[in-house]
Amino acid sequence: MYVHSSPSAVCPHVEWAISGTLGVRADLRWAAQPALPGQLRAECAWTGEAGTGSSLAGALKAWPMLRFEVTEDPSPGTDGERFCFAPGIGLWHSRTSANGDIVVTEDQLRALASGSRGGESFAHGVDSLLGKPWDDALEPFRRAGDGAPVTWLHRVG
């Protein structure tokens, strides 16, 4: 999980939300976010049951000024998931394959094809299904965090 940017006053709330979701104390190492002076960033690796990624994203989206990403790896019988949140565009979610690719279903493609008014409209729809607007919004914050320390959190029991 990456919290790409948070005001310092919100950081304790982020930790409480993560702690409440995982059932283990989250004590993140916050660092300055060079892409947005005055904001902080943190990242942590976590383990939990399938569906925990959705719960984490749901807890964090309560603060619309955050920028974050939550990734849940696939497990036997369960697809992985990826959640991205950015101010102004909200929450995006997709399932992911074993290698981390975004999974787009037949029904999503059929709906897009039937609702598109041409090639440009279809291409824009594919970009949205793949999360391009969120990638574009978060990429400067991702690069700014290269080499940052990671905190490990493990759900117990």
Side-chain angles (χ1 to χ4, degrees):
M1 171 180 3
Y2 301 92
V3 179
H4 293 297
S5 70
S6 173
S8 61
V10 177
C11 293
H13 299 283
V14 169
E15 291 183 5
W16 295 330
I18 295 169
S19 297
T21 302
L22 295 179
V24 62
R25 185 169 187 256
D27 188 16
L28 303 180
R29 290 182 261 171
W30 294 93
Q33 173 50 273
L36 190 59
Q39 298 278 307
L40 300 174
R41 64 169 318 285
E43 56 189 82
C44 66
W46 58 275
T47 59
E49 296 178 18
T52 302
S54 176
S55 298
L56 285 166
L60 293 177
K61 75 176 186 173
W63 294 279
M65 73 291 294
L66 294 179
R67 287 173 181 80
F68 68 84
E69 294 181 78
V70 177
T71 302
E72 181 173 314
D73 292 335
S75 56
T78 306
D79 290 332
E81 294 184 285
R82 182 171 167 221
F83 301 86
C84 297
F85 187 90
I89 57 176
L91 185 66
W92 172 82
H93 164 255
S94 184
R95 289 183 289 160
T96 58
S97 66
N99 68 347
D101 284 345
I102 300 302
V103 174
V104 178
T105 67
E106 298 175 41
D107 289 339
Q108 288 174 302
L109 287 174
R110 284 190 180 108
L112 177 60
S114 69
S116 295
R117 289 177 241 122
E120 188 174 325
S121 174
F122 185 80
H124 178 73
V126 169
D127 282 347
S128 290
L129 286 174
L130 296 176
K132 185 178 182 325
W134 287 265
D135 283 339
D136 290 347
L138 296 175
E139 190 59 30
F141 297 89
R142 292 174 182 148
R143 283 193 307 263
D146 287 346
V150 178
T151 302
W152 284 88
L153 303 175
H154 301 277
R155 176 180 239 165
V156 179

